[in-house]
Amino acid sequence: MTEQRPLASRVLSGSLILVLTQVVGFGLLFLAQRIILSTLTKEENGELFVYRRIADIIVITLCDAGLNSVAMRMMARKPDRADEVIASVAVFRIVMGVIGTIIAMSVALVSGYTALGVGLWAIYVMISTRTGLLRYTLETPLRMDVRFGFVSLFSVLDAVLFLLAIWVVRDGLDAQTIIVAFLLSVLPSFLFLLWMDRGRHFRPSLASRSMTIELLREATPVIVSVLLLNIHDKVDAFLLKWFSTPTEVGVFSAAYQSLAPLVNTMPIAAVMAIVPVVAKLAQEDEVRSRAYALTGLRLLGTVGIGVATVTSMLTPIIIHVVSNGRYADNEPQFFAFLWMTFPIFLLFYVQELNIALGAQRKNIRITGVLAVGTVAAGLVLIPWYDSMGAIVAKFIAVGTGAAVAVGLFFRILGKSLTLSTVGGAVGTAAACALASWLLPQLMPRPLAVICGVIVWGGMSAVVGLLRRSDVAHLRTVFKRNAG
């Protein structure tokens, strides 16, 4: 018990630090997006979206390979070879990053886009903390020790610099200028991390072919999952480009941007805090490891519903904030996208924890459902309903994928997924979604938000998603940190 409390305190306080700093970054990015979306036309925003998607789907597919969590587990099993693990991951990603950048630039040329813009975005993808490639590799030693101070500080610095860069060039924004601003905003923190490391971990000479092969062999199921996940996440832009208009691509991109800060911050912060601990405990105390994993799943699902409830009721305000009203006629698209936070939070969490628990092959089923669902539903709905069809198709895919993910996760834990558990989560989400749609039509929006939060908290407590013990534990952590 004396060992468990400090660990729990470190995990929860680390999660809180990450979440709080991610919220700050979320606000700063919102301000930057407001400048971008209020300046670019819908067609220009669609062009920027396609630029980014070309680089994303190629570079992330080649470089990710699911190595983040696999490396964490390897380091937990073989702490004496931790430096070799980090260096091998770094060298692999540098080599594959160069290859991916060349391929992405070639695809851009063939498709009639500017190769330089796609190439610069590919570099950004490699060193940005949001994609977790080289940047995450540098941060791995800090994360393994559950030390999130510098990690959190750098994420805020990135957002501050990006907002500053966009504001300085706000009168001359175009797709390539925005990409350059993204890249320049992450360079200082990346270079500072290199300086902090001083070659202790991030040293190519420490890499070994045998370790790289061992990591890739263990990550093979994850590589397949990453490929399928990228198809799910990125194919919408290409389907819209083929079957719809540049304007609809721009609308989809704008709605997607309203969701991106949420799904690229909160679940990532929670997962990056708990995965190292789960990986460590999986080798020492399997019961505690699975207890942490199950509690995190329940709480993250609750947070996902709460975030969706509040943000969806603020849809008109969010549209005004991020686009200065340019997308005011696209409120249904934004509302629907914001409600994807609940299933996406669950999906991201379960997939990362499957890897941490050595069950990465399960992710192939999950990502297979996501990829097939997005493509199949998109081919049917996009030609008829344009951007709304793409959003509904993605909703169908992530909802089905989340259901499959949670079912598989409970099997791994050796527990039965009861009807009351499913009904409680779905019922809470449905009640909150209905409230978020109806309440703003019946009362002033601020009062509607308050009532929506009450509905969320009440339903979560009644069905057992949010428990008194969780609140008491968090209160203890806050008091200890204050002391």
Side-chain angles (χ1 to χ4, degrees):
M1 189 69 176
T2 56
E3 293 180 358
Q4 185 173 355
R5 281 190 174 179
L7 180 57
S9 176
R10 289 166 65 196
V11 173
L12 287 170
S13 59
S15 300
L16 289 171
I17 290 172
L18 284 173
V19 169
L20 289 174
T21 53
Q22 294 287 3
V23 168
V24 173
F26 166 79
L28 294 170
L29 288 173
F30 248 52
L31 295 175
Q33 286 298 331
R34 174 186 172 88
I35 298 173
I36 292 171
L37 294 179
S38 63
T39 302
L40 300 183
T41 65
K42 293 180 179 180
E43 292 80 2
E44 290 171 334
N45 188 48
E47 180 185 2
L48 172 63
F49 193 60
V50 173
Y51 271 45
R52 293 168 60 173
R53 281 298 183 249
I54 292 173
D56 286 347
I57 197 168
I58 295 172
V59 175
I60 294 178
T61 299
L62 290 177
C63 296
D64 188 336
L67 290 177
N68 287 343
S69 297
V70 171
M72 286 283 192
R73 193 166 71 250
M74 185 73 72
M75 291 168 66
R77 290 206 313 261
K78 303 178 179 180
D80 56 314
R81 300 182 68 184
D83 293 347
E84 183 184 354
V85 171
I86 295 173
S88 299
V89 171
V91 170
F92 171 81
R93 283 179 165 166
I94 290 171
V95 172
M96 299 307 293
V98 171
I99 295 173
T101 300
I102 294 172
I103 294 174
M105 294 175 72
S106 301
V107 170
L109 283 174
V110 172
S111 304
Y113 293 101
T114 304
L116 178 61
V118 174
L120 291 174
W121 186 259
I123 297 172
Y124 167 80
V125 167
M126 289 296 298
I127 66 176
S128 166
T129 189
R130 284 191 280 171
T131 51
L133 298 179
L134 285 181
R135 177 73 163 268
Y136 192 93
T137 306
L138 281 169
E139 294 172 352
T140 298
L142 297 173
R143 296 182 183 279
M144 285 297 291
D145 291 334
V146 199
R147 294 165 54 202
F148 300 107
F150 276 116
V151 174
S152 303
L153 177 64
F154 290 148
S155 66
V156 173
L157 176 63
D158 293 347
V160 169
L161 293 178
F162 179 64
L163 174 59
L164 180 62
I166 292 297
W167 184 82
V168 169
V169 298
R170 62 191 182 280
D171 294 328
L173 285 179
D174 57 26
Q176 191 159 303
T177 303
I178 293 169
I179 290 173
V180 170
F182 269 112
L183 179 58
L184 292 178
S185 69
V186 299
L187 276 176
S189 52
F190 179 75
L191 294 175
F192 191 78
L193 279 168
L194 280 175
W195 176 81
M196 281 182 61
D197 186 78
R198 291 186 178 89
R200 288 192 297 270
H201 304 97
F202 200 75
R203 189 190 310 170
S205 61
L206 296 174
S208 70
R209 181 179 179 184
S210 60
M211 177 55 72
T212 304
I213 292 173
E214 186 175 354
L215 286 166
L216 292 175
R217 183 183 298 118
E218 189 166 341
T220 297
V222 188
I223 295 172
V224 176
S225 298
V226 169
L227 174 61
L228 292 170
L229 186 61
N230 272 295
I231 292 173
H232 154 72
D233 187 48
K234 312 295 190 300
V235 76
D236 316 85
F238 300 104
L239 291 176
L240 274 168
K241 181 176 179 294
W242 295 333
F243 296 112
S244 190
T245 65
T247 299
E248 291 298 319
V249 179
V251 171
F252 181 86
S253 171
Y256 182 92
Q257 295 306 316
S258 69
L259 175 69
L262 298 173
V263 299
N264 288 334
T265 54
M266 294 182 183
I268 291 178
V271 166
M272 286 181 175
I274 200 171
V275 162
V277 178
V278 172
K280 281 185 177 182
L281 290 178
Q283 308 302 316
E284 304 166 3
D285 189 336
E286 188 175 351
V287 174
R288 285 175 60 198
S289 172
R290 295 188 176 190
Y292 271 105
L294 182 58
T295 300
L297 175 69
R298 180 167 44 79
L299 291 178
L300 197 60
T302 307
V303 171
I305 296 173
V307 169
T309 302
V310 173
T311 55
S312 61
M313 284 197 287
L314 297 175
T315 298
I317 298 172
I318 291 173
I319 292 175
H320 179 73
V321 169
V322 301
S323 73
N324 197 24
R326 184 182 290 272
Y327 292 84
D329 56 337
N330 303 117
E331 187 174 331
Q333 287 95 326
F334 279 74
F335 182 93
F337 240 128
L338 289 168
W339 260 99
M340 288 190 211
T341 52
F342 171 49
I344 289 177
F345 277 25
L346 295 178
L347 277 167
F348 187 85
Y349 186 83
V350 170
Q351 289 180 86
E352 290 296 320
L353 282 179
N354 279 348
I355 298 171
L357 295 175
Q360 54 264 42
R361 291 185 182 277
K362 304 289 186 184
N363 285 347
I364 297 178
R365 300 186 200 177
I366 299 169
T367 52
V369 170
L370 292 173
V372 172
T374 302
V375 174
L379 288 172
V380 172
L381 297 174
I382 290 174
W384 290 94
Y385 301 105
D386 300 314
S387 59
M388 195 54 162
I391 293 169
V392 172
K394 186 173 285 292
F395 212 123
I396 292 171
V398 298
T400 307
V404 172
V406 172
L408 292 173
F409 188 66
F410 268 78
R411 288 188 194 176
I412 294 171
L413 296 181
K415 295 178 177 291
S416 298
L417 183 57
T418 63
L419 185 61
S420 62
T421 301
V422 176
V426 174
T428 300
C432 290
L434 184 62
S436 64
W437 180 259
L438 290 179
L439 289 178
Q441 302 177 44
L442 302 176
M443 62 186 70
R445 199 167 294 274
L447 181 59
V449 172
I450 294 173
C451 292
V453 171
I454 293 173
V455 171
W456 165 70
M459 288 291 299
S460 298
V462 168
V463 303
L465 289 177
L466 186 63
R467 300 174 184 175
R468 183 177 300 176
S469 59
D470 301 322
V471 177
H473 199 172
L474 286 173
R475 187 184 297 117
T476 302
V477 171
F478 277 126
K479 289 181 179 179
R480 185 180 296 119
N481 288 342

